[in-house]
Amino acid sequence: MLPVKEAGTTIAVATQNACKACMPLGACLAYRGVEGAVPFLHGPQGCATYMRRFLIGHFREPMDIACSSFSEETAIFGGSADIHTGLDNVAKAYHPAMIGIATTCLAETIGEDMGLMLHQHAEKNADKASPLVVAASTPSYSGTHADGFHAATCALVNALAETDAAQAGRADVVCFPNMVSPADLRYLKEVLADFGLCHVLLPDYSETLDRPIAGEYERIPKGGVPISAIRGAGAARASVTLGSAFRPGQHPGAALLAKCGVPSLSVGLPVGIRGSDLLFQQLEDLAGKPTPEKHAAERGRLIDTYVDAHKYLYGKRAVVYGEEDLVTGIASFLDEIGVVPVVCASGGRSGGMAEALSATVSMQRGDIQVLEDADFVEIGEAAEAAKADLLIGNSRGFGLSRRLDIPLIRVGMPVHDRIGAQRIQLLGYRGAQALCDRIANAVIARDQERSEPGYMTM
Ligand code: SF4
């Protein structure tokens, strides 16, 4: 197994520029992938403003996040009154099908009993047609935005999936796609449909967070997985979960298996040929048919690109950072194209990244440094020491890219300083094709800038 860097040779006293965002933010993103849902924070308004700003900056779409608006009094006496008022107001203002609650640091620190409060709220409104309420516990000091995303996905499964859902609409497969871009979600749906598999994608914000311009502001955007489909997920033939970095109790396929007995299949985030082959193999088994020609051709073109790009990329040294599954998937892909992922870093601390990397990255392991629970000071030090040629990660690495004068290939969250984060594709043969082109072109552009003769052809 790859060695994980110890907590530091000096005593770490504070995180500086964390390589993660906050846990309820990821939960709000997952709730945005449910049709008719409104994300709701139990906590102070400042948290909601930060998360809205973060998500709007990344997706370039409006993002309403309701909030119980903690006051000083709430922090002392508890937020029971605030949550009742907040839920009533959201029900009146939005008429949602579902309200998805995520708890903030403060709510968790004062020990809010969400179960009791929601039970009281349901009793109080027993005679009304109220929206469904689903809640996830998301104290940010114990997890990242990715953990919040998984916690909310599991909360949806645990609250809604039913074993005896109507068999007529029974899905072949429930796909838990992980925290990927709307373009990747659309790609997954296309692949599942091409295999002829009746599917449920949970969550699905492919339309809600990358939508055509509308004449008028929609308070709840169209799209998302229907609640009836989540209920029906309990009767599916199998689930396929993308990713491996799940904290205990946060694996959505395992949650669906425990609640409804649906067999759970898992693959790592399918970036590159090896990862995509594993996914397509599972889909072939489920569908009982070979990979459709369209996707087989994309695989062939990708291998051709690997051959074309090899002379530019072989032996380059990359720093990869971001969500743990993203880092593992991209490191596996880099391994395929001859780039050494010299530093693999994440703010996450599921404890599984080093093991997952060991299983997927085959070459020059001695050169690879794995940083868990890392911040950008540590990543910068490691990148400098490793003499990295390029960075692959979110926009927060821009300062490091400028300081080290090496290119940054933007993936993951947030991508605040470029247009099109919603359409960054990574998954499958198609996503690897786009990523390979971007990395190779960044390397060529840098070599071209530094070439004295100013070659037009590299
Ligand atoms: S206080 Fe906690 S929940 Fe609120 S924005 Fe900060 S990290 Fe997120």
Side-chain angles (χ1 to χ4, degrees):
M1 188 159 114
L2 293 163
V4 182
K5 182 174 171 280
E6 292 298 323
T9 43
T10 53
I11 297 168
V13 291
T15 296
Q16 300 174 61
N17 197 3
C19 184
K20 61 186 173 186
C22 87
M23 197 171 171
L25 184 152
C28 290
L29 176 57
Y31 291 141
R32 185 40 100 217
V34 177
E35 188 177 55
V38 172
F40 183 108
L41 281 185
H42 187 42
Q45 252 178 6
C47 298
T49 305
Y50 155 68
M51 292 176 216
R52 289 181 57 242
R53 173 72 192 82
F54 184 105
L55 292 167
I56 291 169
H58 179 81
F59 290 102
R60 314 259 172 189
E61 294 285 0
M63 177 84 186
D64 284 16
I65 297 179
C67 176
S68 56
S69 281
F70 266 33
S71 62
E72 292 92 333
E73 253 181 41
T74 318
I76 297 163
F77 298 112
S80 176
D82 293 337
I83 200 125
H84 293 309
T85 310
L87 291 175
D88 289 345
N89 287 344
V90 171
K92 267 188 226 142
Y94 288 84
H95 304 291
M98 191 197 96
I99 299 175
I101 299 180
T103 46
T104 60
C105 298
L106 182 53
E108 292 284 345
T109 302
I110 65 173
E112 290 286 79
D113 188 339
M114 284 305 303
L116 177 64
M117 286 191 284
L118 294 181
H119 179 72
Q120 290 169 339
H121 185 76
E123 276 193 336
K124 206 172 110 214
N125 292 284
D127 55 338
K128 292 186 206 155
S130 301
L132 280 169
V133 179
V134 173
S137 169
T138 50
S140 209
Y141 39 78
S142 71
T144 67
H145 55 306
D147 296 321
F149 184 91
H150 302 320
T153 307
C154 286
L156 289 165
V157 168
N158 289 329
L160 301 175
E162 294 172 0
T163 312
D164 54 356
Q167 295 292 308
R170 182 180 181 187
D172 293 311
V173 60
V174 181
C175 178
F176 296 109
N178 213 316
M179 213 178 66
V180 296
S181 73
D184 275 332
L185 295 177
R186 285 193 289 270
Y187 170 74
L188 287 171
K189 287 194 286 187
E190 181 186 328
V191 170
L192 290 162
D194 288 344
F195 271 100
L197 290 164
C198 176
H199 56 271
V200 175
L201 199 68
L202 178 60
D204 176 8
Y205 43 85
S206 58
E207 305 305 322
T208 58
L209 286 175
D210 187 19
R211 55 189 196 260
I213 191 141
E216 285 190 10
Y217 175 60
E218 298 167 329
R219 302 191 92 178
I220 301 181
K222 291 191 185 68
V225 57
I227 288 168
S228 58
I230 307 176
R231 290 198 197 286
R237 280 172 51 212
S239 73
V240 175
T241 302
L242 308 189
S244 58
F246 298 99
R247 308 282 289 271
Q250 290 188 354
H251 188 294
L256 190 60
L257 171 66
K259 183 163 189 211
C260 303
V262 176
S264 168
L265 308 169
S266 288
V267 292
L269 206 65
V271 185
I273 287 178
R274 275 187 303 232
S276 302
D277 281 353
L278 288 174
L279 174 64
F280 276 79
Q281 184 60 56
Q282 291 204 338
L283 298 183
E284 284 186 3
D285 294 345
L286 282 167
K289 60 166 86 161
T291 294
E293 179 51 34
K294 177 172 98 182
H295 300 285
E298 287 186 351
R299 185 182 190 278
R301 281 194 286 273
L302 177 59
I303 294 172
D304 189 49
T305 305
Y306 280 13
V307 175
D308 295 341
H310 195 251
K311 67 175 177 173
Y312 303 109
L313 298 178
Y314 182 76
K316 295 287 186 219
R317 299 163 70 78
V319 173
V320 194
Y321 59 87
E323 299 84 22
E324 291 164 284
D325 280 322
L326 179 86
V327 170
T328 306
I330 289 180
S332 168
F333 159 76
L334 293 176
D335 190 46
E336 291 174 2
I337 62 173
V339 175
V340 187
V342 281
V343 178
C344 296
S346 177
R349 46 189 160 106
S350 73
M353 189 168 75
E355 195 179 333
L357 283 165
S358 289
T360 54
V361 178
S362 60
M363 65 181 201
Q364 301 178 46
R365 289 182 183 181
D367 274 357
I368 300 171
Q369 188 175 7
V370 181
L371 304 178
E372 294 180 341
D373 199 14
D375 65 16
F376 274 95
V377 173
E378 290 172 282
I379 295 171
E381 287 169 0
E384 207 163 354
K387 299 195 182 351
D389 298 301
L390 64 151
L391 302 174
I392 304 174
N394 57 54
S395 295
R396 287 183 170 159
F398 173 65
L400 182 59
S401 150
R402 190 151 73 164
R403 181 162 68 79
L404 299 183
D405 191 26
I406 55 176
L408 166 63
I409 289 90
R410 288 167 174 78
V411 296
M413 276 182 75
V415 176
H416 285 153
D417 59 346
R418 290 290 184 276
I419 292 289
Q422 320 91 303
R423 290 176 291 279
I424 294 176
Q425 278 200 266
L426 296 175
L427 300 193
Y429 309 122
R430 198 180 298 168
Q433 174 78 69
L435 185 60
C436 189
D437 289 347
R438 289 174 66 207
I439 293 173
N441 285 332
V443 168
I444 292 169
R446 180 48 50 99
D447 288 349
Q448 205 168 25
E449 282 162 17
R450 289 175 177 167
S451 125
E452 275 192 23
Y455 288 118
M456 293 289 284
T457 308
M458 298 291 289

